[in-house]
Amino acid sequence: MSLYGTMRTGVSGMNAQANRLSTVADNIANANTTGYKKASTQFSSLILPSTGGAYNSGGVTTDVRYSISAQGTFTYTTSSTDLAINGKGFFIVQGSDGQEYMTRAGAFTPMDDGTLQNSAGFTLMGYEYSSTEDPTIVVNGFDGLGEINLSSGELNAKGSAEGALDVNLPSNADDGYEKKTSLKAYDSQGNSRLIEFNYTKVSDNNWTVEATYDGTSIAGPIAMVFDSAGKLTSPSPAIITTTPQTTGGAELAELEISIGGSTQLASDFDVSNGKIDGNAASKVTGYEISDDGVLSLKYSNGELTPKYRIAMASVQSPDNLKPLPGNVYSQSNESGVVVMGYAGTNGYGSIISGALEDSNVDIAEELTSMIESQRNYTANSKVFQTGSELMETLVNLKR
């Protein structure tokens, strides 16, 4: 038996317990850190070969592991830009160095420039929203991502393009009977434009409708023909198409107004459906984020306009990601390649707006580990002390 080996074994044990205490200290310090994933120290024996009947004491090595894939609980907040992931996946954020990272820390706050940054200063990334198709993503990389910027829609106006106007025309009215109604449309600058519709009875089951703006005809007169049951048979398709108008530098675009639901029955003139799209200029009053990651701007007129799709990422082995300062992660050789996707698809979790994922640290478990490490450190120090005393006894034999 080597006394020096015994002392080195004791030192190895003390170092291992010190490493364990370091992870415990980190875990306790970050018990309230949003999205933090606890670290743990795993021990592995180091055995040296024995020769000539003499036992050579070895030691212990440590390996730090992270419980990144373990889901934390949720704390609900009043901020719609606080985000948590329920299930698999990570938010993509960009640091001040221009590099993209992964994180579960979703405490995002709108900044002066319109970007969303979490408490560590990382900016949330995503794709421009499209109503016709999902954005094309690079499955194994961060190419194509852009900053989510809420100020991109601070003031919004949308010109009208289509609508519907369904009325009942009294079948018992005399020939020459006239009735007017109107719809409010919006031009390209958000100005409201009143369009009038004038209905005139020509003969039994036959009417005309003319659309005018500011006294000028923009469609018609258009013949409306009804069958014996009072259902509209002409025009086909049952659409009024107006001509574009330019006023004060703003354009009132061509409008397609559906009239297919109009009837001719023995009842008073009545509008059963009158609507048109578009909106006046309005400001952003809030934000909404759906569970599939679509971020919509809420305007003062009550309209919700989708602007961005929050991107998500994952790897084959999340627990082997490389942790970095700021509670973010980067790809490592052991984690596998980054795979991109969207919330709620292909196994990715859903996004919870107005919630934060808590740290997955169990304080009771950490305190227990701390006590165990303290006891084991003391025991290893006794091994070192005993080896030192035996060495002193051996040296004193010469005296």
Side-chain angles (χ1 to χ4, degrees):
M1 176 183 70
S2 168
L3 293 178
Y4 285 120
T6 301
M7 295 168 66
R8 282 194 291 268
T9 299
V11 171
S12 172
M14 286 189 287
N15 284 335
Q17 296 302 325
N19 287 341
R20 187 185 185 190
L21 280 170
S22 295
T23 59
V24 169
D26 256 355
N27 291 340
I28 292 176
N30 287 281
N32 293 320
T33 300
T34 299
Y36 176 81
K37 304 300 183 180
K38 71 175 183 179
S40 61
T41 304
Q42 306 297 319
F43 296 87
S44 178
S45 60
L46 180 62
I47 299 176
L48 299 179
S50 299
T51 58
Y55 181 79
N56 293 320
S57 59
V60 62
T61 60
T62 58
D63 178 48
V64 178
R65 298 181 182 176
Y66 297 89
S67 301
I68 299 174
S69 60
Q71 176 83 57
T73 57
F74 300 119
T75 296
Y76 292 90
T77 72
T78 58
S79 173
S80 60
T81 56
D82 282 340
L83 306 176
I85 300 173
N86 185 17
K88 172 185 173 183
F90 298 86
F91 297 114
I92 309 302
V93 293
Q94 187 178 77
S96 57
D97 57 358
Q99 296 297 312
E100 286 80 16
Y101 303 94
M102 291 174 281
T103 187
R104 299 276 291 196
F108 295 105
T109 302
M111 308 304 290
D112 290 342
D113 60 358
T115 59
L116 288 173
Q117 293 186 9
N118 65 13
S119 52
F122 289 88
T123 302
L124 181 63
M125 307 293 284
Y127 299 97
E128 291 279 350
Y129 178 81
S130 171
S131 60
T132 57
E133 60 182 357
D134 286 336
T136 301
I137 63 173
V138 178
V139 176
N140 61 343
F142 300 126
D143 293 346
L145 286 169
E147 293 181 345
I148 291 179
N149 194 310
L150 302 180
S151 64
S152 62
E154 276 300 322
L155 196 61
N156 176 62
K158 180 182 177 182
S160 300
E162 58 184 9
L165 182 59
D166 298 324
V167 301
N168 178 67
L169 300 174
S171 61
N172 52 5
D174 296 331
D175 294 348
Y177 169 87
E178 292 186 1
K179 192 67 176 181
K180 291 183 179 180
T181 189
S182 60
L183 284 177
K184 182 170 66 174
Y186 298 94
D187 64 23
S188 57
Q189 296 180 3
N191 299 298
S192 62
R193 305 297 183 186
L194 194 65
I195 300 175
E196 290 190 342
F197 297 85
N198 185 32
Y199 297 87
T200 303
K201 185 173 182 180
V202 178
S203 61
D204 292 343
N205 297 336
N206 290 278
W207 295 71
T208 61
V209 58
E210 182 180 21
T212 61
Y213 168 65
D214 198 21
T216 301
S217 176
I218 57 175
I222 297 170
M224 298 177 66
V225 180
F226 297 88
D227 62 16
S228 59
K231 294 183 178 180
L232 185 68
T233 60
S234 181
S236 181
I239 294 175
I240 299 175
T241 302
T242 68
T243 56
Q245 302 291 308
T246 301
T247 305
E251 183 179 2
L252 177 61
E254 176 185 279
L255 304 176
E256 291 190 349
I257 310 298
S258 171
I259 59 173
S262 296
T263 58
Q264 181 197 241
L265 300 173
S267 180
D268 292 339
F269 179 88
D270 178 65
V271 177
S272 60
N273 181 29
K275 61 183 180 181
I276 200 164
D277 64 356
N279 60 264
S282 56
K283 294 183 178 180
V284 173
T285 58
Y287 322 99
E288 283 192 11
I289 301 174
S290 64
D291 57 4
D292 60 353
V294 176
L295 187 150
S296 301
L297 303 183
K298 184 187 297 183
Y299 289 91
S300 56
N301 61 359
E303 182 179 354
L304 278 175
T305 303
K307 296 292 290 186
Y308 294 97
R309 186 78 181 265
I310 297 173
M312 295 185 70
S314 187
V315 293
Q316 289 85 349
S317 180
D319 291 342
N320 285 316
L321 286 169
K322 181 180 179 182
L324 296 170
N327 206 10
V328 296
Y329 307 98
S330 66
Q331 176 184 322
S332 70
N333 291 331
E334 293 78 21
S335 67
V337 298
V338 174
V339 179
M340 301 289 294
Y342 298 114
T345 63
N346 299 324
Y348 289 94
S350 60
I351 291 178
I352 305 175
S353 176
L356 296 173
E357 184 179 1
D358 299 327
S359 165
N360 62 0
V361 172
D362 185 332
I363 289 294
E365 181 181 340
E366 298 304 319
L367 292 176
T368 301
S369 296
M370 182 170 62
I371 294 170
E372 290 177 350
S373 296
Q374 181 184 13
R375 300 301 186 201
N376 291 339
Y377 190 98
T378 301
N380 279 284
S381 70
K382 292 297 183 182
V383 172
F384 180 89
Q385 183 180 355
T386 300
S388 177
E389 291 173 354
L390 290 175
M391 182 63 70
E392 183 179 0
T393 300
L394 182 60
V395 171
N396 287 339
L397 289 176
K398 189 176 181 299
R399 296 179 183 176

